[in-house]
């Protein structure tokens, strides 16, 4: 889905204008980054993105396990975000890696698909469901 690609392209570019164009301003969008509280509302979210971009010199996403579902004017994408980044949390002069499971919910508007909800949860174990249940 092109709208999902646009979201990750804006994130990797650290471009607030591109990110603003991805999101649905109304009704209140929601963004939940791994390990953080939910951010509600377009204005609050754009402030949060500005802070993220200011403190993330480099980030790259390799998406795997991508699943897309479209149901009339609502669509969602689930995926695994395999992340490579530098900045806070990364070793000095190096990069940090991580994994999150993400759900991105989109609504169709007169100007195309817009991101309504982004929720990413950290992957804490490399094992599968059976290993995690034990």
């Amino acid at each position: 889905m092109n709208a999902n690609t646009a979201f990750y392209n804006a994130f990797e570019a650290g471009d607030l204008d591109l990110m603003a164009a991805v999101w649905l301003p109304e009704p209140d969008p929601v963004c939940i980054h791994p390990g953080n509280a939910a951010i509600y509302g377009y204005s609050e979210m754009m402030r949060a993105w500005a802070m993220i971009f200011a403190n993330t010199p480099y980030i790259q996403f390799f998406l795997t396990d991508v699943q897309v579902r479209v149901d009339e004017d609502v669509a969602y994408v689930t995926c695994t975000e395999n992340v490579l980044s530098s900045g806070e949390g990364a070793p000095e002069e190096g990069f940090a890696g991580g994994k999150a499971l993400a759900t991105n919910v989109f609504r169709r508007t007169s100007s195309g698909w817009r991101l309504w909800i982004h929720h990413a949860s950290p992957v804490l174990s490399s094992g599968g469901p059976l290993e995690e249940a034990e």
Side-chain angles (χ1 to χ4, degrees):
M1 169 174 236
N2 291 339
N4 197 63
T5 301
F7 168 66
Y8 288 103
N9 287 344
F11 203 156
E12 288 180 349
D15 188 314
L16 196 57
D17 291 333
L18 288 177
M19 186 60 76
V22 167
W23 283 90
L24 180 71
E26 296 291 331
D28 286 339
V30 179
C31 187
I32 304 171
H33 294 290
N36 290 293
I39 303 165
Y40 296 97
Y42 188 79
S43 296
E44 289 297 316
M45 190 179 321
M46 288 304 111
R47 278 194 283 280
W49 282 115
M51 293 295 293
I52 290 168
F53 293 160
N55 293 296
T56 308
Y58 176 85
I59 192 162
Q60 187 173 9
F61 292 89
F62 302 94
L63 303 182
T64 56
D65 310 313
V66 178
Q67 299 290 317
V68 179
R69 168 80 188 249
V70 179
D71 189 4
E72 296 183 20
D73 290 338
V74 176
Y76 67 81
V77 176
T78 59
C79 60
T80 301
E81 298 175 342
N82 301 280
V83 184
L84 182 63
S85 65
S86 67
E88 188 176 324
E92 190 172 324
E93 302 296 324
F95 294 92
K99 238 184 213 191
L101 299 178
T103 302
N104 297 317
V105 180
F106 298 86
R107 290 183 69 171
R108 189 188 329 250
T109 70
S110 59
S111 57
W113 290 97
R114 296 292 177 258
L115 185 56
W116 187 22
I117 301 166
H118 169 73
H119 183 181
S121 298
V123 175
L124 302 177
S125 170
S126 62
L130 292 177
E131 180 182 309
E132 292 173 8
E134 295 177 348

